[in-house]
């Protein structure tokens, strides 16, 4: 039946390749094929497998890569078992289905997996030029479970202390610091604990693979990704959103779900992002803007082409905009930090790890979702930005940059301070209001209404809303009859911790309900409270 359906999938633009011995099926939907054209697909790819999705417990392997909208799958592989031979055959089918996968490189620079020998060996067999890294969460989780294994006879009061020793090795920023932390851990320097030979042996075995999990051996190419959370999310989406936590009938049904339902899910998510329905990148950028408010242009020094030094508090950090990294802890591994934002704000230089808030980012995601049917890049340009930019070009002929999409136009000297700009704007507002009043003769009712709205401003948040909406978001008076009332008997029938008035029911768990006694899924919290970590799925 699988052979019969391959032609049907091909007509829909879906590529399916399979092998009978060992059994392996690879699925490439149109979005997955277009994802191989992304630059990030040639940099880092996450690999993770799951099972228990059908009665025969076939293994489903997801291979996502990061993109502007989060993560996009590059391929989905279905195998009978999670063995090295099955993985090798599935990865070989990917090379056969696409001529030049992974952004025409043939292989990504980095594969991020959990500590599965079958996956790692198969990846090295098919793509030997790629580097394999381990998810630090799964490494730490494995160490924590080892400490809680009763057969190892580690006392409970010593488990979290030994775990903290291991974390000092894992989060070391330099190789020398990691080696010193390992030597101190072997000698129990700084702690008063008895010697555990089995723990020393286990720690020594972990140290042999230090290049895979220790952060000191990583660089900016990981782009701040130290875990394979993207692949974990893909598994969660497939089980929750696609399968609705119900097992599929057989492997053919899984194939249909991946080819149709999973494709529709990602298309909808990517279209929402392209249509500016996701505010996370913008909010992240604004948070960095607030953090970098204390850094002025005088604190930034241009060292060479693309190299800057930024003075922040009592420290000086070096930024390489070409490789998109900073010497601060946040930007050391390629993550966008506040120091890189300062360089962007004052020198208008954008690195490759800049948050996806620009029109080209939205257009890239739209092409990912719709292909040739995607609107042109001009479609994603904001209307007000085009008007403002055109006006500036006509009046002053400045250089129009992408920075206009992040801040409003202020017709003042850029060298003046923030307070001076604010005072000048207030003077201009009062001048314009006085001028309009002289020309149009404000009515008494209009002035009274405007005054009442001003008097109803009681907080800084409402004042900002007043400024941004010209007072439309501030009500004049509260109307007691505006609410839709409910019957008193319906209020009496409500469960505890539910609102007793006419307000709509709040979503989710009631706010006043007693907290669940289940252990948290946070590994850090469980280490702090010295308790086993809970399993998510």
């Amino acid at each position: 039946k699988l052979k019969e359906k391959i032609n049907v999938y091909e007509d829909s633009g879906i590529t399916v390749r399979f092998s009978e011995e060992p059994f392996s099926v690879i699925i490439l939907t149109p979005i997955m094929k277009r994802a191989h054209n992304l630059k990030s697909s040639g940099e880092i790819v996450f690999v993770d497998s799951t099972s228990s999705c059908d009665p025969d417990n076939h293994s489903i392997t997801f291979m996502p890569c990061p993109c502007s909208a989060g993560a996009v799958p590059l391929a989905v592989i279905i195998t009978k078992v999670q063995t090295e031979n099955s993985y090798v055959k599935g990865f070989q089918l990917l090379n056969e289905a696409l001529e030049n996968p992974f952004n025409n490189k043939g292989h990504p620079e980095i594969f991020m997996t959990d500590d599965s020998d079958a996956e790692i060996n198969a990846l090295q067999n098919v793509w030997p030029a790629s580097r394999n890294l381990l998810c630090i969460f799964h490494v730490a989780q494995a160490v924590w479970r080892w400490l809680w294994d009763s057969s190892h006879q580690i006392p409970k009061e010593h488990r979290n202390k030994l775990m903290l020793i291991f974390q000092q090795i894992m989060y070391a920023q330099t190789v020398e610091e990691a080696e010193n932390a390992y030597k101190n851990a072997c000698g129990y320097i700084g702690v008063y604990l008895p010697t555990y030979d089995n723990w020393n042996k286990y720690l020594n075995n972990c140290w042999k693979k230090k290049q895979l999990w220790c952060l000191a051996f990583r660089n900016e190419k990981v782009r701040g990704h130290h875990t394979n959370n993207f692949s974990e999310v893909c598994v969660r989406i497939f089980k929750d959103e696609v399968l609705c936590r119900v097992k599929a009938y057989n492997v053919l049904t899984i194939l249909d779900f991946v080819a149709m339902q999973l494709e529709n899910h990602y298309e909808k998510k990517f279209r929402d992002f392209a249509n500016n329905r996701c505010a996370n990148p913008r909010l992240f950028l604004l948070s960095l803007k607030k953090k970098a408010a204390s850094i002025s242009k005088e604190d930034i020094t241009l060292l060479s082409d693309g190299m800057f030094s930024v003075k922040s508090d009592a420290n000086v950090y070096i930024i390489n905009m070409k490789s998109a990294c900073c010497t601060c802890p946040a930007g050391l591994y390629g993550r966008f930090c506040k120091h890189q934002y300062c360089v962007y704000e004052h020198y208008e230089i954008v690195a490759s790890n800049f948050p996806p808030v620009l029109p080209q980012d939205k257009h890239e995601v739209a092409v990912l979702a719709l292909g040739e049917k995607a609107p042109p890049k001009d479609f994603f340009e904001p209307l007000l930005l085009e008007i403002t930019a055109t006006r500036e070009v006509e009046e002053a002929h400045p250089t129009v940059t992408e920075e206009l999409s992040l801040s409003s136009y202020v017709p003042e000297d850029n060298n003046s301070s923030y307070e001076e700009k604010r005072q000048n704007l207030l003077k201009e507002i009062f001048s314009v209001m006085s001028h309009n009043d002289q020309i149009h003769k404000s009515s008494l009712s209009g002035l009274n209404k405007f005054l009442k709205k001003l008097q109803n401003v009681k907080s800084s948040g409402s004042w900002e809303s007043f400024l941004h909406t010209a007072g439309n978001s501030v009500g004049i008076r509260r109307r007691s009859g505006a609410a839709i009332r409910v019957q008193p008997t319906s209020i009496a029938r409500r469960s505890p911790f539910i609102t007793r008035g006419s307000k709509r029911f709040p979503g989710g768990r009631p706010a006043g309900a007693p907290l669940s006694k289940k252990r948290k899924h946070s590994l850090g919290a469980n280490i702090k409270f010295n308790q086993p970590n809970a399993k998510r799925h």
Side-chain angles (χ1 to χ4, degrees), residues 43-44 46 66 110 112 133 136 215 218-230 323-325 329-336 340 353:
E43 295 176 350
I44 182 170
F46 308 89
I110 297 173
M112 183 79 69
L133 296 178
I136 62 173
L215 299 189
R218 300 185 181 184
N219 52 25
E220 70 279 356
K221 292 183 179 180
V222 298
R223 289 289 175 257
H225 300 291
H226 298 302
T227 65
N228 60 348
N229 288 343
F230 278 150
S323 60
C325 65
L332 186 61
Y333 303 103
R335 183 179 174 87
F336 192 76
Q340 298 178 55
N353 61 347

Side-chain angles (χ1 to χ4, degrees), residues 238-246:
F238 184 72
K239 289 186 175 181
D240 288 355
E241 303 294 335
V242 178
L243 296 181
C244 298
R245 288 289 169 179
V246 178

Side-chain angles (χ1 to χ4, degrees), residues 90-101:
F91 297 149
Q92 289 175 349
L93 291 176
L94 174 58
N95 284 335
E96 295 174 4
L98 297 176
E99 294 182 0
N100 294 310

Side-chain angles (χ1 to χ4, degrees), residues 45 112 181 239 315 343 362 475 485:
V45 175
M112 183 79 69
K239 289 186 175 181
N315 301 318
V343 174
K362 297 179 176 60
R485 298 296 178 183

Side-chain angles (χ1 to χ4, degrees), residues 144-408:
W144 188 238
R145 288 177 178 174
W146 187 94
L147 291 171
W148 271 89
D149 191 343
S150 59
S151 63
H152 298 144
Q153 298 180 355
I154 304 295
K156 182 178 180 180
E157 60 272 13
H158 294 165
R159 293 170 184 171
N160 57 347
K161 296 180 181 179
L162 293 176
M163 187 66 197
L164 293 177
I165 291 175
F166 180 82
Q167 288 180 323
Q168 290 178 356
I169 305 174
M170 176 183 291
Y171 293 108
Q173 295 184 1
T174 62
V175 177
E176 182 180 0
E177 183 180 346
E179 292 177 349
N180 293 334
Y182 171 69
K183 294 177 182 178
N184 294 339
C186 294
Y188 295 86
I189 298 177
V191 294
Y192 301 95
L193 296 176
T195 301
Y196 300 104
D197 294 334
N198 55 351
W199 165 252
N200 290 342
K201 183 178 179 181
Y202 179 78
L203 190 62
N204 185 35
N205 292 333
C206 293
W207 180 251
K208 293 178 181 178
K209 300 187 294 183
K210 55 184 179 296
Q211 290 86 357
L212 301 180
W213 52 266
C214 184
L215 299 189
F217 297 90
R218 300 185 181 184
N219 52 25
E220 70 279 356
K221 292 183 179 180
V222 298
R223 289 289 175 257
H225 300 291
H226 298 302
T227 65
N228 60 348
N229 288 343
F230 278 150
S231 55
E232 295 283 347
V233 170
C234 287
V235 172
R236 194 77 179 270
I237 289 174
F238 184 72
K239 289 186 175 181
D240 288 355
E241 303 294 335
V242 178
L243 296 181
C244 298
R245 288 289 169 179
V246 178
K247 287 187 176 183
Y249 183 72
N250 54 22
V251 68
L252 292 178
T253 311
I254 294 179
L255 185 60
D256 284 336
F257 276 125
V258 173
M260 302 299 176
Q261 301 301 325
L262 188 63
E263 180 80 354
N264 294 336
H265 172 84
Y266 279 104
E267 180 181 346
K268 179 181 181 300
K269 292 297 182 182
F270 292 157
R271 292 179 66 178
D272 289 343
F273 182 89
N275 293 328
N276 207 20
R277 297 293 188 270
C278 180
N280 292 337
R282 178 178 57 84
L283 296 177
F284 172 69
L285 196 63
L286 291 178
S287 67
L288 292 180
K289 184 177 181 180
K290 293 180 181 179
K291 294 178 181 179
S294 60
I295 302 176
S296 62
K297 190 173 183 179
E298 288 73 19
D299 297 328
I300 305 175
T301 304
L302 176 62
L303 302 178
S304 61
D305 186 18
M307 296 288 292
F308 296 86
S309 67
V310 178
K311 183 179 180 182
S312 178
D313 298 331
N315 301 318
V316 177
Y317 300 102
I318 306 299
I319 300 174
N320 188 343
M321 298 300 288
K322 292 184 178 180
S323 60
C325 65
C326 177
T327 55
C328 70
L332 186 61
Y333 303 103
R335 183 179 174 87
F336 192 76
C337 63
K338 67 177 183 180
H339 308 109
Q340 298 178 55
Y341 176 83
C342 293
V343 174
Y344 158 75
E345 184 178 19
H346 297 291
Y347 288 88
E348 300 178 358
I349 299 177
V350 177
S352 59
N353 61 347
F354 192 77
V357 297
L358 304 178
Q360 56 262 33
D361 299 319
K362 297 179 176 60
H363 178 254
E364 181 184 74
V365 176
V367 172
L368 195 61
L370 302 175
E372 297 178 354
K373 298 181 181 179
K377 180 183 174 182
D378 297 340
F379 176 80
F380 301 98
E381 295 281 354
L383 297 177
L384 295 179
L385 171 63
E386 293 180 350
I387 297 174
T388 305
T390 304
R391 187 176 301 168
E392 288 183 9
V393 171
E394 292 177 353
E395 294 177 357
H397 302 284
T399 302
V400 181
T401 65
E402 298 290 352
E403 186 181 1
L404 295 175
S405 61
L406 303 176
S407 59
S408 302

Side-chain angles (χ1 to χ4, degrees), residues 399-524:
T399 302
V400 181
T401 65
E402 298 290 352
E403 186 181 1
L404 295 175
S405 61
L406 303 176
S407 59
S408 302
Y409 170 67
V410 180
E412 295 292 336
D413 186 11
N414 291 331
N415 295 326
S416 59
S417 64
Y418 174 81
E419 185 62 26
E420 291 177 350
K421 292 181 180 180
R422 202 174 65 85
Q423 295 297 332
N424 291 335
L425 281 175
L426 286 174
K427 292 179 182 179
E428 186 174 352
I429 290 173
F430 294 145
S431 175
V432 172
M433 291 181 64
S434 177
H435 178 70
N436 289 336
D437 179 68
Q438 293 177 1
I439 296 178
H440 305 293
K441 302 299 180 183
S442 303
S443 64
L444 186 61
S445 61
L447 291 174
N448 285 329
K449 187 175 182 180
F450 185 75
L451 179 61
K452 288 181 180 180
K453 287 190 174 184
L454 280 176
Q455 292 174 345
N456 282 339
V457 174
K458 304 297 183 181
S459 63
S460 59
S462 59
W463 175 243
E464 287 295 323
S465 299
F466 181 89
L467 294 177
H468 286 80
T469 62
N472 291 333
S473 63
V474 180
I476 299 177
R477 62 186 177 90
R478 178 177 176 83
R479 296 179 57 190
S480 59
I484 301 177
R485 298 296 178 183
V486 298
Q487 296 180 358
T489 54
S490 66
I491 296 178
R493 292 193 299 267
R494 290 179 183 173
S495 303
F497 310 109
I498 299 295
T499 175
R500 311 298 291 181
S502 299
K503 296 181 180 179
R504 64 185 296 271
F505 284 172
R509 187 174 299 171
L515 297 177
S516 175
K517 295 183 180 180
K518 293 182 179 180
R519 293 195 304 267
K520 294 183 178 180
H521 295 293
S522 174
L523 179 61

